[in-house]
Amino acid sequence: MEIRPCSAEDLVGLQARWPIPGSDIHAAHFAAQQTGSAAYLVAWRGGLPVGSGMVQWGGCVGPHARSAHPGCIEFNHLQVRPEERGSGVGSALIAAAEDLIRSRGHPEVGIGVAADNPAAAALYRRLGYELTGVRDTIAYTWFDGDGAAHDEIEHDELLVKALRAQRRTSPTSGPQVG
Ligand SMILES: CC(C)(COP(=O)(O)OP(=O)(O)OC[C@H]1O[C@@H](n2cnc3c(N)ncnc32)[C@H](O)[C@@H]1OP(=O)(O)O)[C@@H](O)C(=O)NCCC(=O)NCCS
């Protein structure tokens, strides 16, 4: 599996191999990335897109999360194709997002999870995320297989994880002390 920020060429493959009826969400996410406000990470397995998520460089989207954790970078819109779930794609996307966020020197990553999604919350906690008790109400629209729009209101709790700077090693620097 390879995880990389979506390129213009990837976008064509995404639209062809992972069509989402009713809305070109891939193009919208790619456009956000092109403005510099986000990174659209896509996981590929055998040439097929199997999952994706957005790193929001502007911080947490929800106003309560934003004011409680101002230095936190949110990873959202995480989704794995239904037939690929439970095989490590989501965990790998989260690890890739953490690496990217850490590489830009940000100290904290956050994920909002809906109250009715305890399985996702359990996964995030297993990956080191902590509940904050900070909640926001998020309105969004999703499209079913027939392209019909569904408006949803979700009550999300922010989970956060501190990102430690990775130790640099050099073959000539010898063992690190202290
Ligand atoms: C939540 C989600 C991103 C996890 O990705 P994934 O690739 O299935 O996760 P992984 O394979 O790395 O980890 C598996 C764990 O995820 C959790 N999980 C949550 N929802 C799951 C689902 N629908 N199917 C399988 N595992 C799921 C389970 O705890 C599972 O642990 P287990 O193997 O001990 O049962 C993915 O299942 C998904 O897209 N769900 C629908 C959309 C969604 O809920 N997005 C998250 C919004 S916060």
Side-chain angles (χ1 to χ4, degrees):
M1 180 166 45
E2 188 186 347
I3 296 175
R4 57 180 183 263
C6 184
S7 67
E9 194 184 345
D10 288 340
L11 178 60
V12 177
L14 264 176
Q15 289 164 324
R17 299 191 188 105
W18 190 3
I20 297 177
S23 145
D24 195 349
I25 196 74
H26 300 306
H29 286 170
F30 181 71
Q33 177 179 262
Q34 294 308 94
T35 70
S37 70
Y40 187 26
L41 295 181
V42 182
W44 298 83
R45 189 143 62 190
L48 278 178
V50 291
S52 62
M54 291 281 277
V55 174
Q56 301 289 352
W57 294 121
C60 292
V61 175
H64 294 129
R66 207 179 171 78
S67 77
H69 288 261
C72 182
I73 299 299
E74 181 166 346
F75 186 48
N76 67 1
H77 295 293
L78 173 61
Q79 60 167 338
V80 173
R81 295 179 84 153
E83 63 276 19
E84 303 285 344
R85 289 176 191 165
S87 67
V89 178
S91 300
L93 275 161
I94 291 168
E98 290 173 1
D99 285 348
L100 185 60
I101 294 165
R102 187 188 291 109
S103 76
R104 289 206 186 180
H106 298 284
E108 192 175 58
V109 54
I111 304 183
V113 67
D116 62 357
N117 198 355
L123 170 63
Y124 305 150
R125 296 202 66 191
R126 211 162 63 217
L127 295 176
Y129 287 75
E130 290 174 7
L131 294 164
T132 63
V134 178
R135 293 183 175 80
D136 278 291
T137 300
I138 309 282
Y140 67 98
T141 303
W142 64 277
F143 297 87
D144 64 24
D146 298 322
H150 300 265
D151 293 325
E152 301 279 353
I153 292 188
E154 198 173 279
H155 303 286
D156 284 359
E157 176 169 359
L158 179 70
L159 279 75
V160 296
K161 180 175 176 177
L163 297 174
R164 288 182 186 83
Q166 274 176 343
R167 287 169 72 177
R168 288 191 190 169
T169 53
S170 153
T172 55
S173 63
Q176 293 189 344
V177 180

